[in-house]
Amino acid sequence: MSRAIYWISLSAGFLFLVLPLLVVLPLAFNDSSFLNYPMEGFTWRWFGVVFHQPPWMAALMNSLKVASGAMVAGVLIGGLAAVGTMLAGRWGRLVLSALFISPIVIPSVVLGVAMAYAFGRMGVSGGYLPLVLAHAILGAPLVFLSVMTSLRGLDPELERAAASMGASRWHRFRTVTLPLAAPGFLTGALFAFITSFDEVVVALFLASPQSQTLPIALFSSLRDRLEPPIVVVALLLSLVSCLFIVVLNRLQKRSNGRR
Amino acid sequence: MSGTRHNLAAKATLLILPLVMYAALYLLPLISIGSLSVDNGELSDRFSRLSAHFGTDAPVDDAAAVALLADLQGMDSRDRAEAGRMFNQEKQGFRSLLIDTGKAAGDIPPTLDGLTAFDPRWGEPSWWEVLERNVEPVTWRHVQKATGIKPDGQGGFGIAPGDDIYLRILVRTFVIAGQVTLLTLLLGYPLAYAVANGTPRVRAVVLMAVLLSFWTSILVRTTAWVVLLQTNGLLNGLLIRLGIIAEPLQLIFNRFGTVVAMTHVLLPFAILPMMNVMRTIPAAQTDASRSLGAGPVETFLRVYFPQTLRGAAVGGGTVFILALGFYVTPALTGGPGDQMLSYYIADFVKKGLNWGMASVLSLMLLASVILMLLIGLLVRRLAGWRRQGV
């Protein structure tokens, strides 16, 4: 009886979780302009459309540029924030952490409105800069968290050993702690990149017609008309996510193995 | 001694860049929507003379007429149209009245009678009241429009019927977030349980599915639901082929589509915290309960379930707070009656560049989120979960 409840509820939840994408994504190869089953044959045609017709490729390039810029800026901001916070006292650490993590809980529409207005006032508008800066702020908390986690997980004995050999606090930090925290920076960079690459709401407020990103292109064509290229783009974005998980997994295994 | 100073200097230098960036790119924008919500610079600058006139509590007299005509003459036709558009949000017909009066401003005798002769509406106090209220540097009209709370003319405040549209949207936002939270907890609980207690293979498969879902973008997963739920889409096709329905059901652009898609998108956020808590519950407890004679159901309800509530609270709270600010999924799967507060915020910016209304509604949303966070902290403290490190 309880086994039955377990298996039924587990299957229901599991199917709800995985079926939508499993059923919809194969339609990228369907030789029909209707997004429906049964499939009418296998084709790469829609991939050709995505690779050769606007707006997809231009949007992909924009996304890659914005995400790379946001990653660099996010790692710089979030990484320095984490290292600085780690060196602060107990209360300073608490206040600074709250500040540096807080963008996570602000609804993206609110951030979008606020940034669109303020950036416009500061004269930061058009091109990639507003998007890069906004996405850097969205990515920085994730970098901050992952660097903090790796700094905290370090063996305190290492620090003590360095101290016993006469290294100053700052010198210890630079030569012992920081290099060991490198995986935290890498994971954070990955988080920052994928956050920007997938972000749509803030981008909708800040992108100029020339800097439309891939998620924006997907969002507007979803509102416009449902066509197979949409599913192709969804499939490509899912593959990027899979790749991301694989890399993340490798990184975590490596840093665990080193400890 | 010099070492300490060196430390402090290093610390300060490290934090300069992040703090400056956060202040300029994050805190300043957030503060600016606070001031924008009551800012009336666009009107008070254009009507500087009239603003100064009413600023001294002067009545509507010939001097007011002089000030109004001078202000209008100082504007070009685009300025007048823009100002008129803003007044029109308060009172229909104001745009044309301002444009017409502005065009003829040079020929109208600068008295109240002269204005009234040009257009009889200038003889009615109601039009002047709108002007008087809206040329001051600080305005409450956005706040009043968002909350519906206005002076009722008898010295008090009240909500006129039909004025509570944004309050109702706020309630709708909370209702949808609540429905989604409940569904994610119900569907997510067995999945989290399986990851914590299943056989190794079940654990691996379910965990992989949850993580894949977690890292696939919200937009991609919403896309899948849009394709599935179309009128001639996959789900309707399947139901018709199975003979369950004869005509396609309306599954999208209504509350059903919104709640189902949002539940799917937010499900991993409910599962992960529950899973983490369930993993810490030792299997020996269940074994002990069983060996003492309790059945599987009683063991689950009395030994296992109460310990998982803290995970459900964290997961449910996360989902609720995220759901409050949702925009993309309801915009793509909901109808006009299912849009949440975020939609209207975006709408005010996109359609009318009405930053004032967008700011007030943003503050409403932000306040709701912060309120829920505080409630979450309070619950955590009251339930004593803090000691257990969650």
Side-chain angles (χ1 to χ4, degrees):
Chain A
M1 175 52 192
S2 54
R3 297 305 294 168
I5 296 176
Y6 168 68
W7 281 108
I8 290 170
S9 59
L10 174 59
S11 323
F14 185 75
L15 291 179
F16 179 75
L17 193 64
V18 299
L19 264 192
L21 282 175
L22 277 189
V23 168
V24 169
L25 290 182
L27 290 175
F29 304 100
N30 188 8
D31 197 5
S32 151
S33 39
F34 295 106
L35 291 170
N36 215 333
Y37 281 96
M39 282 176 65
E40 290 175 15
F42 183 90
T43 181
W44 288 99
R45 178 153 59 111
W46 306 118
F47 285 77
V49 171
V50 169
F51 289 135
H52 294 113
Q53 279 178 22
W56 303 111
M57 270 312 167
L60 173 65
M61 292 321 285
N62 286 342
S63 272
L64 288 174
K65 285 181 205 162
V66 169
S68 310
M71 179 180 77
V72 172
V75 168
L76 211 60
I77 299 173
L80 282 177
V83 172
T85 304
M86 211 58 197
L87 291 172
R90 189 162 163 266
W91 283 105
R93 210 181 274 190
L94 206 67
V95 173
L96 288 169
S97 299
L99 169 69
F100 288 129
I101 297 170
S102 64
I104 288 186
V105 296
I106 312 282
S108 6
V109 167
V110 175
L111 279 180
V113 170
M115 286 172 169
Y117 181 81
F119 288 10
R121 269 296 179 82
M122 291 181 225
V124 184
S125 59
Y128 298 113
L129 191 60
L131 272 179
V132 169
L133 293 177
H135 282 177
I137 291 296
L138 293 179
L142 302 172
V143 178
F144 178 85
L145 283 172
S146 72
V147 173
M148 283 297 259
T149 311
S150 70
L151 285 176
R152 250 193 245 124
L154 292 179
D155 189 350
E157 289 297 324
L158 290 172
E159 258 242 325
R160 232 166 281 158
S164 73
M165 287 185 261
S168 75
R169 200 169 152 195
W170 172 238
H171 188 73
R172 274 178 348 241
F173 187 79
R174 224 182 33 188
T175 54
V176 178
T177 314
L178 216 47
L180 287 171
F185 279 92
L186 274 178
T187 315
L190 218 53
F191 283 149
F193 185 89
I194 202 82
T195 301
S196 164
F197 195 73
D198 283 342
E199 207 284 329
V200 58
V201 180
V202 175
L204 277 171
F205 283 94
L206 292 173
S208 61
Q210 288 76 38
S211 59
Q212 303 279 315
T213 59
L214 198 54
I216 297 182
L218 185 58
F219 182 75
S220 7
S221 50
L222 270 171
R223 295 191 115 179
D224 191 28
R225 203 144 55 99
L226 266 190
E227 286 172 327
I230 287 176
V231 181
V232 173
V233 174
L235 178 65
L236 294 176
L237 285 174
S238 310
L239 290 178
V240 172
S241 304
C242 290
L243 189 71
F244 167 79
I245 295 179
V246 172
V247 177
L248 192 67
N249 210 2
R250 283 276 164 81
L251 267 177
Q252 276 167 351
K253 275 212 181 107
R254 220 180 59 184
S255 69
N256 284 345
R258 244 204 333 217
R259 251 175 228 163
Chain B
M1 191 59 210
S2 82
T4 333
R5 216 177 298 139
H6 189 71
N7 275 337
L8 276 176
K11 229 162 33 188
T13 341
L14 284 172
L15 284 172
I16 285 175
L17 177 86
L19 285 178
V20 167
M21 294 301 255
Y22 262 68
L25 304 174
Y26 168 63
L27 295 177
L28 208 71
L30 281 185
I31 293 167
S32 75
I33 60 168
S35 59
L36 258 181
S37 61
V38 291
D39 178 63
N40 199 30
E42 290 196 65
L43 286 179
S44 71
D45 290 349
R46 286 189 174 115
F47 290 92
S48 54
R49 296 179 187 86
L50 199 58
S51 178
H53 175 81
F54 285 131
T56 57
D57 279 332
V60 177
D61 52 12
D62 284 349
V66 173
L68 172 67
L69 286 170
D71 282 333
L72 283 174
Q73 275 178 299
M75 286 181 236
D76 60 23
S77 58
R78 231 190 41 215
D79 266 345
R80 287 196 289 264
E82 178 63 19
R85 189 182 63 81
M86 285 186 243
F87 283 119
N88 228 34
Q89 290 169 0
E90 287 279 289
K91 197 167 165 71
Q92 286 291 320
F94 227 114
R95 195 178 121 98
S96 56
L97 177 62
L98 268 194
I99 290 175
D100 293 345
T101 313
K103 258 188 220 149
D107 307 325
I108 298 174
T111 59
L112 202 52
D113 289 338
L115 269 175
T116 314
F118 173 76
D119 193 311
R121 281 179 285 185
W122 288 121
E124 296 168 23
S126 63
W127 297 85
W128 282 99
E129 273 166 24
V130 174
L131 272 184
E132 186 170 353
R133 253 204 327 271
N134 291 303
V135 295
E136 283 172 29
V138 166
T139 177
W140 295 103
R141 71 172 182 278
H142 305 308
V143 177
Q144 287 174 357
K145 201 174 159 200
T147 58
I149 302 170
K150 282 185 184 151
D152 58 7
Q154 291 143 22
F157 288 87
I159 301 180
D163 274 1
D164 57 350
I165 155 166
Y166 295 105
L167 286 186
R168 270 195 238 167
I169 289 163
L170 184 67
V171 171
R172 180 202 290 163
T173 305
F174 269 82
V175 168
I176 294 180
Q179 290 168 330
V180 169
T181 305
L182 215 63
L183 280 172
T184 53
L185 289 178
L186 282 175
L187 282 164
Y189 196 91
L191 289 173
Y193 183 89
V195 175
N197 303 298
T199 58
R201 182 176 295 173
V202 168
R203 275 180 207 217
V205 171
V206 175
L207 184 61
M208 195 63 211
V210 172
L211 287 180
L212 263 176
S213 184
F214 184 79
W215 286 112
T216 309
S217 87
I218 292 175
L219 188 57
V220 168
R221 285 184 286 148
T222 307
T223 306
W225 282 104
V226 174
V227 174
L228 275 175
L229 298 177
Q230 286 302 302
T231 314
N232 41 16
L234 293 176
L235 200 56
N236 266 318
L238 179 73
L239 291 175
I240 289 175
R241 205 161 305 148
L242 290 176
I244 297 173
I245 53 171
E247 291 292 313
L249 294 172
Q250 181 67 39
L251 299 170
I252 196 171
F253 309 130
N254 56 21
R255 187 61 60 87
F256 173 82
T258 315
V259 170
V260 168
M262 279 180 71
T263 302
H264 182 253
V265 168
L266 287 167
L267 192 51
F269 293 94
I271 296 176
L272 292 173
M274 287 198 280
M275 187 182 91
N276 286 336
V277 168
M278 287 177 184
R279 274 176 166 167
T280 64
I281 300 172
Q285 285 189 0
T286 319
D287 296 342
S289 163
R290 294 297 298 277
S291 72
L292 289 172
V297 176
E298 195 187 359
T299 300
F300 176 78
L301 289 179
R302 292 187 52 191
V303 176
Y304 194 81
F305 183 71
Q307 300 192 64
T308 59
L309 279 179
R310 140 179 89 105
V314 175
T318 309
V319 169
F320 193 87
I321 285 171
L322 289 174
L324 281 182
F326 248 50
Y327 171 66
V328 167
T329 310
L332 292 173
T333 58
D338 315 302
Q339 297 307 326
M340 303 168 76
L341 207 48
S342 291
Y343 176 87
Y344 296 88
I345 296 172
D347 209 47
F348 271 116
V349 172
K350 297 247 150 214
K351 292 230 176 82
L353 284 180
N354 189 339
W355 294 100
M357 275 310 283
S359 303
V360 175
L361 295 182
S362 293
L363 288 180
M364 259 162 88
L365 181 57
L366 203 54
S368 310
V369 166
I370 291 172
L371 183 75
M372 294 317 295
L373 279 173
L374 290 178
I375 291 177
L377 286 178
L378 196 71
V379 168
R380 198 170 78 159
R381 171 161 289 207
L382 288 180
W385 288 334
R386 210 162 52 118
R387 274 175 281 121
Q388 294 160 32
V390 170

